[in-house]
């Protein structure tokens, strides 16, 4: 109805007649108009798509030109007539998009409600709560409207001081809990003898946990809330700034201040127009910020996709070359006795931290490169165990002993490092077989004695051996670990150890069956989070999020040339300006209304702001030295990336030193006393 609503029939017929006397494009527009005008009213909605094309572009935007100059000379009223219909058509198109968004969103909400209901029922059956449940239940329990006032009364009787740390990462629901606990702190006269305090510590520049609901605006919002409560109670709220940094040298902090002195780079770090300025405590300590040239792809022939797995970093890729350069640099420091001048001692592996934005294949390549050079490395801070090649080989072996008739799985085992058949041997065994692959291997055991003997022995153990003991024998007595490391390199040690640890943990709480363990592991997709806070004398490779609150004398930033992946067109959009939050799901870009586009642009801006806050967190992890490097793709660096932000202040002629740029401060003060305990692994005697 809205498509065929009120329109100027006579005016459009007049415009169509004039267009028919114009150029080729005018004639095409005239035919579309005439087709729509002459159609019966009940068919016009079906033809509205063609009618829209006269007035709107493929992106749904109004066309800049609706008729040529010759048509305007034929009938000067035609441009006005067409513009009036263009405005009507554009409004109708937006309305149709809004209807499509509403229908898709309603369907999504129905589906989501069903999934959440099933999830809630599953938790209730098991009597468990997830992390969000704990927060929401605590908030509801303390809520003054629907909560249990007796709980608040009992808590209030024992609370004198509340400390909120890392307040910039506190979600709105968590702030509501704090507000409920501190409610009576601002009640005025009290019978309590103690002077009660609310102490909030935070830095909005370091708000990087938006995926947990935190946002920097909340920090200022709740500060104003408590300031108003304090004023009403005739108390005072003291806002104390601490610009002095005790961690980093002036070379590092001076560079950070210079990077974020630009208004565009500072957008999203601080509310208002306040500049970012640090005062450094470690005056006169040696410091260094070094910018390496970004590595670019070499000119090589295009590979056939069948030649190698697509998720592997090729040896000659920029990422692989950068990983090798970092590993070689650290190796050179350790072998050459590179001095950490501010502490008056040689550099040790525990001094080095490598920070990345995401856990990409580059991380695995770097860890492998460090291990190949004999450098102690803690590995990555997180890994999905079932995606590690060594674990996949062990799981394939487990599936074989449970079902030997699975030909494809047996082929994986035979080709893998535990057996090690080459392509020709596997083809010879499999191609002319008459039965299953296992039956063929048994029939030709004289040709493959090692493979047959090992698999027969493991089949005999499978039914009666617990999973930990089974895999421990495979890796130890049968030489499986040695074979896997020979094929995959020393970085396979970490996932193997974690796999064995999970097998042992499974046996403690469950019936120790091999089939149960493999099913439990596959269903859970276990993600191992490892505590790298103290380093333990090893190089640490971490995400910036994982390094929050940590520091190291030497920090590398290798992941600097790309921006965060843009959200896909089917992304969920949230409208938060109304009385209640509203969810919008346009499904695809063609359905996006002006409101959806504005919401998406606002979401992208918030993402860009957090991207820059992440750079601030990453750079301020460095105590003495900061090395900024990167690797580009075929399209070069993304505009506005970390590398460009740092290069704008470091890559200047006066800072050029060979192939790199650096900003350095000399050691002009007595060396600091290294308060870390000496460890043999650090090379300290």
């Amino acid at each position: 109805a809205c498509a065929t609503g009120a329109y100027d029939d006579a005016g459009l017929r007049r415009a169509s007649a004039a267009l028919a006397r114009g150029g080729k494009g005018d004639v095409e527009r005239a035919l579309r108009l005439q087709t729509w005008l002459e159609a019966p009213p009940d068919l016009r909605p079906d033809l509205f798509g063609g009618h829209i094309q006269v007035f709107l572009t493929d992106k749904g935007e109004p066309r800049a030109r609706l008729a040529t100059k010759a048509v305007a000379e034929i009938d000067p009223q035609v441009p006005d007539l067409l513009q009036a219909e263009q405005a009507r058509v554009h409004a109708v198109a937006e309305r149709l998009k809004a209807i499509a968004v509403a229908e898709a969103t309603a369907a999504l909400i129905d589906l989501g409600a069903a999934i959440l209901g099933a999830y809630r029922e599953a938790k209730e059956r098991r009597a468990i709560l997830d992390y969000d449940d704990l927060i929401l239940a605590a908030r509801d329990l303390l809520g003054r409207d629907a909560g249990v006032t007796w709980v608040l009364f009992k808590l209030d009787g024992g609370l004198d001081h509340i400390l909120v740390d890392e307040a910039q990462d506190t979600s709105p629901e968590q702030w509501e809990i704090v507000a409920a606990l501190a409610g009576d702190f601002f009640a005025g006269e009290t019978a309590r003898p103690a002077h009660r305090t609310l102490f909030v510590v935070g830095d909005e520049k370091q708000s990087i946990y938006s995926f947990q609901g935190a946002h920097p605006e909340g920090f200022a919002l709740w500060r104003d809330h408590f300031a108003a409560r304090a004023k009403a109670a005739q108390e005072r709220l003291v806002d104390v700034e601490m610009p002095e940094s005790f961690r980093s040298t002036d070379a590092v902090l001076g560079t950070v201040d210079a990077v974020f002195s630009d208004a565009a780079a500072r957008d999203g770090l601080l509310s208002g127009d306040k500049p970012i300025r640090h005062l450094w405590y470690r005056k006169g300590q040696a410091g260094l910020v070094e910018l390496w040239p970004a590595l670019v792809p070499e000119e090589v022939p295009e590979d056939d996709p069948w030649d190698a797995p697509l998720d592997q970093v090729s040896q000659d890729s920029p990422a692989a070359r950068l990983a090798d350069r970092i590993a070689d640099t650290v190796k050179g420091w350790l072998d050459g006795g590179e001095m950490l001048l501010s502490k008056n001692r040689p550099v040790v592996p525990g001094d080095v931290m490598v920070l990345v934005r995401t856990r990409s294949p580059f991380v695995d390549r770097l860890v492998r490169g460090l291990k190949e050079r004999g450098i102690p490395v803690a590995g990555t801070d997180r890994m999905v165990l079932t995606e590690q090649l060594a674990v996949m080989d062990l799981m394939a072996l487990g599936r074989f002993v449970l079902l030997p008739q699975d030909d494809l799985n047996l082929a994986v085992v035979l080709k893998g490092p535990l057996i090690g058949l080459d392509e020709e041997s596997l083809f010879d065994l499999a191609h002319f077989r008459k039965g299953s692959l296992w039956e063929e291997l048994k029939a030709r055991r004289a040709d493959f004695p090692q493979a047959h003997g090992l698999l027969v022995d493991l089949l005999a153990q499978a039914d009666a051996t617990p999973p930990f003991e089974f895999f421990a024998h495979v890796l130890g007595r049968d030489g499986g670990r040695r074979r896997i490391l020979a094929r995959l390199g020393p970085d396979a040690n970490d996932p193997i150890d974690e796999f064995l640890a999970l097998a042992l943990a499974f046996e403690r709480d469950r019936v120790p069956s091999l089939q149960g363990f493999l099913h439990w592991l596959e269903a859970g997709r276990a993600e191992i989070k490892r505590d790298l806070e103290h380093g333990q004398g090893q190089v640490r490779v971490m995400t910036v999020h994982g390094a929050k609150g940590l520091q190291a004398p030497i920090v590398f930033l290798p992941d600097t040339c790309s921006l965060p992946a843009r959200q896909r067109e089917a992304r969920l959009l949230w409208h938060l300006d109304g009385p209640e939050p509203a969810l919008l799901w346009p499904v695809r870009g063609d359905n996006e209304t002006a409101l959806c586009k504005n919401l998406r642009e606002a979401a992208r801006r918030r993402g860009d702001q957090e991207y820059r806050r992440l750079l601030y967190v990453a750079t301020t992890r460095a105590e003495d030295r900061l090395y900024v490097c990167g690797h580009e793709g075929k399209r070069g660096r993304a505009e506005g990336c970390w590398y460009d932000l740092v290069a704008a202040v470091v890559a200047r002629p006066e800072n050029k030193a060979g192939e790199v740029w650096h900003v350095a401060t000399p050691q002009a003060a007595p060396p600091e006393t290294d308060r870390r305990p000496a460890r043999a692994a650090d090379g300290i005697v």
Side-chain angles (χ1 to χ4, degrees):
C2 63
T4 58
Y7 66 94
D8 185 357
D9 184 85
L12 289 182
R13 292 182 184 276
R14 176 179 173 178
S16 177
L19 288 169
R21 297 165 59 189
K24 180 179 178 182
D26 294 322
V27 173
E28 291 178 356
R29 283 187 281 270
L31 289 174
R32 288 184 182 275
L33 278 177
Q34 196 65 27
T35 300
W36 191 74
L37 290 169
E38 298 298 335
D42 58 331
L43 294 182
R44 283 181 183 171
D46 296 333
L47 299 174
F48 191 65
H51 187 61
I52 284 179
Q53 292 179 4
V54 176
F55 302 96
L56 305 181
T57 66
D58 292 340
K59 294 182 178 181
E61 299 172 352
R63 292 188 183 278
R65 190 176 71 167
L66 299 175
T68 62
K69 186 177 180 180
V71 173
E73 292 175 352
I74 294 171
D75 188 342
Q77 295 297 317
V78 167
D80 292 337
L81 293 171
L82 292 176
Q83 286 174 5
E85 177 66 2
Q86 183 183 59
R88 187 191 77 86
V89 167
H90 186 253
V92 170
E94 288 292 300
R95 181 72 181 276
L96 293 174
K97 290 179 181 179
I99 293 172
V101 171
E103 291 176 346
T105 303
L108 180 66
I109 290 174
D110 288 341
L111 176 61
I115 294 173
L116 291 175
Y119 179 53
R120 183 170 55 252
E121 291 176 4
K123 289 187 293 184
E124 290 174 354
R125 285 197 304 269
R126 294 167 174 79
I128 58 176
L129 297 173
D130 61 25
Y131 183 70
D132 289 335
D133 291 332
L134 296 175
I135 296 174
L136 296 176
R139 181 200 63 181
D140 296 341
L141 184 66
L142 300 175
R144 292 185 178 275
D145 296 332
V148 181
T149 56
W150 178 82
V151 174
L152 267 177
F153 171 76
K154 297 295 289 184
L155 288 174
D156 184 62
L159 287 177
D160 291 328
H161 308 285
I162 296 176
L163 168 62
V164 182
D165 196 13
E166 299 289 356
Q168 76 280 349
D169 294 325
T170 304
S171 68
E173 294 78 14
Q174 292 168 328
W175 274 118
E176 291 180 33
I177 296 174
V178 175
L181 292 174
D184 285 340
F185 283 30
F186 307 98
E189 294 294 330
T190 176
R192 298 288 302 280
H195 180 71
R196 299 194 284 182
T197 60
L198 172 64
F199 189 62
V200 179
V201 182
D203 181 1
E204 57 186 314
K205 301 189 297 296
Q206 300 191 45
S207 180
I208 58 174
Y209 286 94
S210 62
F211 56 87
Q212 294 181 354
H215 53 87
E217 296 84 359
F219 186 78
L221 178 68
W222 284 95
R223 178 182 56 203
D224 295 342
H225 167 82
F226 288 118
R229 292 294 309 276
K231 183 177 181 181
Q234 297 184 346
E235 296 284 351
R236 64 192 182 98
L237 184 74
V238 181
D239 193 353
V240 180
E241 291 190 10
M242 299 183 65
E244 190 169 31
S245 172
F246 295 85
R247 172 187 296 151
S248 305
T249 59
D250 56 346
V252 174
L253 293 176
T255 300
V256 171
D257 289 351
V259 167
F260 294 106
S261 63
D262 181 74
R266 192 172 60 251
D267 178 36
L269 268 75
L270 285 174
S271 54
D273 296 326
K274 293 187 297 184
I276 295 177
R277 291 199 182 103
H278 292 90
L279 301 177
W280 35 89
Y281 174 80
R282 297 179 57 194
K283 295 179 180 178
Q285 300 290 332
L288 173 68
V289 175
E290 191 164 281
L291 178 70
W292 294 359
L295 299 182
V296 299
E298 297 176 343
E299 292 293 333
V300 294
E302 291 190 7
D303 293 331
D304 187 332
W306 292 101
D307 289 345
L310 296 179
D311 59 350
Q312 296 295 308
V313 178
S314 66
Q315 185 67 30
D316 296 325
S317 72
R321 286 186 279 127
L322 180 58
D324 287 341
R325 179 172 180 179
I326 293 174
D328 288 337
T329 299
V330 176
K331 178 67 171 174
W333 290 341
L334 299 178
D335 291 347
E338 176 81 9
M339 293 296 292
L340 199 61
L341 296 177
S342 66
K343 295 178 174 58
N344 195 30
R345 61 165 177 79
V347 171
V348 296
D351 291 331
V352 180
M353 179 188 290
V354 182
L355 298 182
V356 296
R357 289 193 303 107
T358 59
R359 298 175 183 88
S360 64
F362 168 83
V363 173
D364 297 329
R365 183 67 184 82
L366 175 60
V367 171
R368 182 163 64 251
L370 291 168
K371 290 185 175 181
E372 288 172 350
R373 290 161 177 80
I375 301 171
V377 57
T380 57
D381 54 344
R382 288 178 186 262
M383 71 171 76
V384 178
L385 204 58
T386 53
E387 294 179 357
Q388 304 300 310
L389 290 176
V391 173
M392 294 168 69
D393 284 322
L394 292 172
M395 293 177 69
L397 180 63
R399 286 192 289 266
F400 162 74
V401 297
L402 293 172
L403 185 63
Q405 289 74 29
D406 185 342
D407 287 354
L408 179 59
N409 189 72
L410 176 54
V412 171
V413 174
L414 293 173
K415 185 71 169 55
L418 294 172
I419 302 296
L421 293 188
D422 57 27
E423 293 281 356
E424 293 183 359
S425 298
L426 182 59
F427 181 83
D428 177 53
L429 177 66
H431 185 58
F432 296 106
R433 71 185 189 278
K434 296 180 180 179
S436 70
L437 187 59
W438 175 236
E439 293 297 330
E440 183 70 16
L441 181 61
K442 289 193 294 183
R444 299 180 56 187
R445 55 183 175 271
D447 297 331
F448 304 94
Q450 181 181 0
H452 178 264
L454 176 61
L455 295 179
V456 167
D457 181 50
L458 294 176
L459 279 170
Q461 300 178 42
D463 292 336
T465 307
F468 174 79
E469 183 179 345
F470 176 82
F471 287 111
H473 283 169
V474 170
L475 293 166
R477 183 198 63 187
D478 296 331
R481 183 187 290 265
R482 174 175 49 78
R483 295 190 186 98
I484 291 175
L485 296 182
R487 172 81 65 88
L488 302 179
D491 52 321
N493 262 320
D494 289 339
I496 289 174
D497 292 339
E498 296 291 351
F499 178 80
L500 290 175
L502 279 182
L504 194 59
F506 175 83
E507 291 183 12
R508 293 194 190 102
D509 302 327
R510 298 166 180 83
V511 176
S513 73
L514 182 59
Q515 184 171 0
F517 170 65
L518 293 177
H519 174 74
W520 173 74
L521 196 61
E522 290 173 337
R525 284 180 53 83
E527 183 178 66
I528 306 301
K529 181 179 180 181
R530 306 158 77 201
D531 182 13
L532 303 184
E533 180 174 351
H534 302 295
Q536 299 178 343
Q538 300 170 311
V539 175
R540 289 172 286 177
V541 183
M542 310 177 67
T543 63
V544 181
H545 285 94
K548 183 72 178 296
L550 305 182
Q551 60 194 58
I554 301 172
V555 169
F556 283 90
L557 298 184
D559 186 8
T560 61
C561 292
S562 61
L563 293 174
R566 294 296 187 186
Q567 300 291 345
R568 295 183 181 275
E569 293 301 319
R571 230 204 75 180
L572 302 182
L573 301 172
W574 288 94
H575 185 244
L576 304 176
D577 293 338
E580 294 290 337
L583 172 67
L584 299 177
W585 187 41
V587 183
R588 61 180 186 270
D590 293 343
N591 287 344
E592 286 193 350
T593 62
L595 175 61
C596 290
K597 292 177 181 177
N598 290 337
L599 292 176
R600 184 178 303 285
E601 187 57 37
R604 285 176 175 171
R605 184 186 176 193
R606 290 193 298 271
D608 291 341
Q609 290 173 336
E610 184 166 271
Y611 173 75
R612 291 187 288 271
R613 291 195 296 271
L614 201 64
L615 173 61
Y616 176 85
V617 172
T619 52
T620 53
R621 298 311 93 196
E623 298 175 16
D624 295 69
R625 303 186 190 178
L626 174 65
Y627 293 86
V628 180
C629 41
H631 53 90
E632 301 180 7
K634 293 181 178 179
R635 298 181 180 179
R637 295 196 299 271
E639 184 178 356
C641 64
W642 285 1
Y643 191 95
D644 287 344
L645 293 176
V646 176
V649 300
V650 176
R652 296 176 176 174
E654 63 270 22
N655 297 329
K656 188 72 171 176
E659 64 170 359
V660 304
W661 298 266
H662 68 232
V663 176
T665 53
Q667 182 68 24
E672 284 190 327
T673 301
D674 194 341
R675 292 182 290 273
R676 299 183 312 162
R679 300 187 184 95
D682 287 341
I684 303 175
V685 180

